[in-house]
Amino acid sequence: MELVKSLGAHWVIDYTKEDFTRKKGSYEIIFDTVGKSSFSKSKASLKKNGRYLTSTGKMMKNYFLTIWTSLMARRKFIFAMSVDKVESLNLLKKLAEAGIIKPIIDRTYPLEEMVEAHRYVEMGHKKGNVVIRVN
Ligand SMILES: NC(=O)c1ccc[n+]([C@@H]2O[C@H](COP(=O)([O-])OP(=O)(O)OC[C@H]3O[C@@H](n4cnc5c(N)ncnc54)[C@H](OP(=O)(O)O)[C@@H]3O)[C@@H](O)[C@H]2O)c1
């Protein structure tokens, strides 16, 4: 929670103590960055023209929800996937160097310890990113 506050959050909900979906019509935007919620369970918590953003989930379902909500619903579903493009990585590099985005690095492993790195990530509690050092 302290980490999230250090990124600029004014108010933090502890998911182990409170289910954010119980507050109906409360949020303008819900952005699920870890894939632990669903649009169906969260939409009632959005304000009338609210947006549910995600970067996870099944592609076909995401496309369907994007199209369906854009045509039929006030509360919209929006998703985005990262792309393995050099320009995108260079843009991220520039934004990080300019301090516009603040990457959070939890742990760094050398390439030889890839197995340990995966084990750590698969525990599902990493804070931000785990980096593999290749050189
Ligand atoms: N769109 C894309 O291009 C893209 C790219 C990369 C990854 N992804 C997807 O993004 C998802 C997240 O991946 P990840 O590996 O970064 O994260 P992760 O390791 O699954 O998430 C770890 C973090 O999530 C928190 N967390 C766990 N359960 C939570 C809950 N119910 N509510 C709120 N926070 C919770 C943990 O906090 P605690 O330690 O306090 O429990 C920890 O900080 C995956 O589904 C992955 O497939 C998408």
Side-chain angles (χ1 to χ4, degrees):
M1 290 179 79
E2 289 313 311
L3 170 68
V4 176
K5 281 185 198 158
S6 77
L7 293 171
H10 296 125
W11 174 48
V12 182
I13 301 168
D14 181 348
Y15 77 88
T16 62
K17 301 207 171 91
E18 195 182 329
D19 177 359
F20 76 90
T21 63
R22 295 184 71 166
K23 286 203 171 79
K24 305 298 173 205
S26 304
Y27 309 108
E28 279 151 10
I29 294 173
I30 295 172
F31 184 8
D32 183 345
T33 59
V34 287
K36 304 290 182 193
S37 70
S38 70
F39 179 63
S40 59
K41 287 196 185 132
S42 309
K43 65 183 175 198
S45 318
L46 287 170
K47 289 187 176 175
K48 223 179 340 185
N49 292 307
R51 301 285 185 265
Y52 178 90
L53 279 63
T54 186
S55 59
T56 70
K58 295 203 170 72
M59 294 288 271
M60 285 309 288
K61 188 176 175 192
N62 286 351
Y63 279 122
F64 170 77
L65 283 171
T66 303
I67 294 165
W68 187 75
T69 59
S70 75
L71 298 171
M72 311 294 284
R74 280 189 160 169
R75 296 171 174 91
K76 310 286 184 205
F77 178 93
I78 298 168
F79 88 101
M81 304 300 291
S82 57
V83 282
D84 293 338
K85 283 193 183 153
V86 173
E87 313 91 84
S88 308
L89 290 173
N90 283 336
L91 174 65
L92 283 177
K93 181 171 174 274
K94 272 192 201 140
L95 292 173
E97 283 167 355
I100 295 167
I101 57 169
K102 190 177 164 193
I104 304 297
I105 296 172
D106 183 344
R107 291 188 183 181
T108 302
Y109 290 86
L111 187 60
E112 308 80 67
E113 290 175 25
M114 181 67 105
V115 173
E116 285 76 12
H118 269 278
R119 279 203 189 107
Y120 180 60
V121 168
E122 282 160 19
M123 286 161 67
H125 294 287
K126 69 177 170 53
K127 288 165 181 55
N129 300 287
V130 168
V131 171
I132 306 297
R133 231 180 13 253
V134 176
N135 60 350

